[in-house]
Amino acid sequence: MRIAIIGTGYVGLVTGAGLAETGNAVTCIDRDQGKITKLLDGKIPFFEPGLDDLVMRNVKGGRLQFANTIADGIKDAQVIFLAVGTPSASDGSADLSQVLDAASEVGRNLKDYAVVVTKSTVPVGTADKVRARLQETAKVPFAVCSNPEFLKEGDAVNDFLKPDRIVVGTDDDRARKVLEDLYSPFIIREHKVYFMDVRSAEMTKYAANAMLATKISFINEIANLCEKVGADVELVRKGIGSDSRIGTAFIYPGLGYGGSCFPKDVKAIIHTGQEYGQKLSILEAVDSVNQRQRGRLLEKIMMHFGGKGQDKTVGIWGVSFKPRTDDIREAPALSLMEGFLSAGMKVRAYDPVGMENAKQLKLGKDVHWATDAQDAIKGAHAMVLCTEWSEFRQPDWTAVKRDMAAPVVFDGRNIYDPIRMRELGFTYFGIGRRVDNR
Ligand code: NAD
């Protein structure tokens, strides 16, 4: 099948390369000429494990191409995916301008029947808006479907090639047949494609992310109470996770959820509720617990320094919002670093792949970007673990202690054992951990 993907970011490029892998002829389109130039030079514009091999194999095989304009890229396409960004607007709603602008451009350039599919995360009712935009300019028939994406950065290739499920929203039989064919190679073993109406498909994506965010805010709130009452959230987490109705996934306490999806998607579904006169009380709480959690570690660290940090240095381990990605959007490390810098502290930071993106930010010039984890803690009065990259799990603690100005560790992801850290001579702070009385 001939496929066009509009938006060659984390979702668009993985989708494009994944669909090329099963034999389709795919063109990935992006208006960012820099991204397209990199791809044409054989470089992947962002870090995603396994993606370079998948892209290069399919480029070599002649199944994957790149284009800078929608007019060039959608020629002859039978299926056109919209995989552009849907960031938060200032009122919390999803800003649909990229989706709707792309839809207008598609309409102007459609030459034959095509199935236009929203893969971006978009609020209920967006497919109707996309259809209306296409109708304004298209001179040929088309269908509009919803096919939200569930891949996780850091494991995106695997998630796309071996999905837990594929959700397709359509009320058009011809379009359904096209998407059934397209996805048939991905569902050989089990029936995992859920066809439904468009609005339910759009809602499924928000409900999934809202549920996951809820689990995170829930365990963070329990962790905070554990600290107050002298319980250890890591024991509590295991204790509750062993109940199969609860499960162990996604109940890890930490610095609050970040990234390019959960914060904006929780806000957007709350906004949808407001539009329809339905207050989403749980999700409002999930959002506000998360915002508090994002500030809590900073408060703890400032308290440790007696409220004055001017002459202090902090070493940050991990800048990306989670391991195995260079995505720093809404990363907890960024707000921490901003807090330290505005308190007049010196910040040294290291991340295996996220530093290049962070250097471009306003705070980029005020941070000392370290060459490795050991360099980041040199002369530091505290180390703050923000992202649980594997390489941070078993450092040479003797060397760390030797090079720090004070042996103090704030473990934002609970990856270290508090007792061992104390035995090694560190002052250790985790999230919801019981350190003193065990
Ligand atoms: P991204 O910012 O990495 O990529 C979006 C790309 O679209 C950018 O490269 C941008 O230049 C391009 N673009 C915007 N308008 C365009 C136009 N008119 N023509 C051509 N290109 C255009 O975004 P992403 O992380 O891939 O997310 C895309 C969508 O998928 C969002 O709605 C997001 O919520 C959703 N999503 C993301 C993830 C994830 O883990 N990143 C997972 C599931 C769903």
Side-chain angles (χ1 to χ4, degrees), residues 270-433:
I270 291 170
H271 192 271
T272 300
Q274 285 161 354
E275 269 178 2
Y276 285 81
Q278 163 91 38
K279 188 174 167 62
L280 298 180
S281 312
I282 292 175
L283 295 179
E284 284 178 8
V286 164
D287 185 41
S288 69
V289 166
N290 195 57
Q291 286 182 28
R292 271 206 306 279
Q293 194 70 11
R294 303 278 307 245
R296 257 189 127 247
L297 193 64
L298 180 64
E299 283 165 23
K300 254 195 214 174
I301 296 170
M302 294 315 292
M303 220 151 69
H304 169 76
F305 289 133
K308 305 183 283 289
Q310 283 90 334
D311 54 344
K312 302 290 188 242
T313 298
V314 258
I316 305 277
W317 280 4
V319 176
S320 55
F321 87 94
K322 66 173 182 178
R324 293 165 62 82
T325 182
D326 63 351
D327 196 344
I328 56 164
R329 290 177 280 188
E330 299 273 335
L334 299 180
S335 35
L336 277 171
M337 291 197 288
E338 268 162 20
F340 296 140
L341 290 170
S342 56
M345 294 158 82
K346 290 200 179 67
V347 178
R348 303 172 70 85
Y350 170 74
D351 186 282
V353 298
M355 289 193 295
E356 286 314 308
N357 285 335
K359 283 178 194 172
Q360 315 306 320
L361 302 176
K362 195 161 158 269
L363 61 70
K365 60 180 184 345
D366 298 324
V367 171
H368 171 87
W369 298 104
T371 50
D372 54 29
Q374 186 68 24
D375 183 34
I377 51 82
K378 279 193 179 136
H381 299 87
M383 181 272 265
V384 188
L385 185 286
C386 293
T387 318
E388 65 278 31
W389 283 95
S390 299
E391 67 177 80
F392 300 148
R393 285 185 183 267
Q394 287 186 314
D396 177 349
W397 287 118
T398 311
V400 169
K401 199 170 157 204
R402 182 196 63 216
D403 285 355
M404 289 184 78
V408 180
V409 169
F410 287 89
D411 177 0
R413 303 289 178 178
N414 285 356
I415 66 170
Y416 305 125
D417 177 4
I419 297 173
R420 171 131 198 278
M421 293 304 287
R422 199 176 46 191
E423 284 167 3
L424 288 163
F426 285 89
T427 303
Y428 172 88
F429 301 88
I431 308 286
R433 306 300 313 260

Side-chain angles (χ1 to χ4, degrees), residues 8 30-31 49 59 64 96 121 129 140 149 160 164 211 237 245 250 256 260 263 287 294 306 312 375 392 408 413 433:
T8 306
D30 207 290
R31 63 182 178 187
V59 168
L64 182 58
L96 293 179
T121 303
K129 294 181 182 164
V140 291
E149 182 51 56
F160 190 83
D164 290 338
M211 181 71 210
R237 177 178 68 73
R245 294 169 303 174
F250 253 77
S260 66
D287 185 41
R294 303 278 307 245
K312 302 290 188 242
D375 183 34
F392 300 148
V408 180
R413 303 289 178 178
R433 306 300 313 260

Side-chain angles (χ1 to χ4, degrees), residues 9-11 30-31 35 84 86 98 121 149 153 264 329:
Y10 291 88
V11 167
D30 207 290
R31 63 182 178 187
K35 263 188 192 171
V84 297
T86 49
Q98 292 182 38
T121 303
E149 182 51 56
E153 286 172 23
K264 81 173 170 65
R329 290 177 280 188

Side-chain angles (χ1 to χ4, degrees), residues 73-84:
I74 67 164
K75 275 181 203 148
D76 306 330
Q78 296 157 283
V79 184
I80 301 169
F81 285 95
L82 303 177
V84 297

